[in-house]
Amino acid sequence: MTSNGNYTIEYTIINGKLDRVQMTILKLEAEENGEYPFIGNIWLEQDSLNCNVPLASKVKVAPYFGDFDIFVTKIKEYIATEAEK
């Protein structure tokens, strides 16, 4: 979670290299039923960045891409640290 949203992040490493990252974006505020509404997805696959965020929701996507970039950087740092062991 960041100040922009709640996230579920999954990633795949193949031969010591980051192959895929998927970030599911959920709203910060829960609904009355306690669930966080789905906003969209951003994913990186084999160095290609894609997203699925409905623009009809009038969501500003830039903050989510900023968070995604931070998460990917942290994952790559983790991979590099593990490779040094």
Side-chain angles (χ1 to χ4, degrees), residues 65-78:
F65 280 98
D67 289 344
F68 185 79
D69 187 51
I70 291 167
F71 292 132
V72 169
T73 299
K74 288 182 179 183
I75 293 167
K76 287 180 177 179
E77 289 171 355
Y78 170 76

Side-chain angles (χ1 to χ4, degrees), residues 1 12 16-17 23 29 44 52 64 67 72-73 84:
M1 176 168 46
T12 304
K17 184 179 178 202
M23 181 173 84
E29 302 84 24
L44 174 69
N52 177 13
Y64 303 122
D67 289 344
V72 169
T73 299
E84 292 174 2

Side-chain angles (χ1 to χ4, degrees), residues 28-62:
L28 281 172
E29 302 84 24
E31 293 183 333
E32 290 180 13
N33 63 6
E35 293 184 18
Y36 294 88
F38 174 79
I39 294 175
N41 292 301
I42 301 174
W43 63 94
L44 174 69
E45 189 165 14
Q46 300 175 354
D47 296 326
S48 180
L49 186 65
N50 297 285
C51 76
N52 177 13
V53 180
L55 292 179
S57 64
K58 299 181 182 177
V59 171
K60 295 189 184 279
V61 296

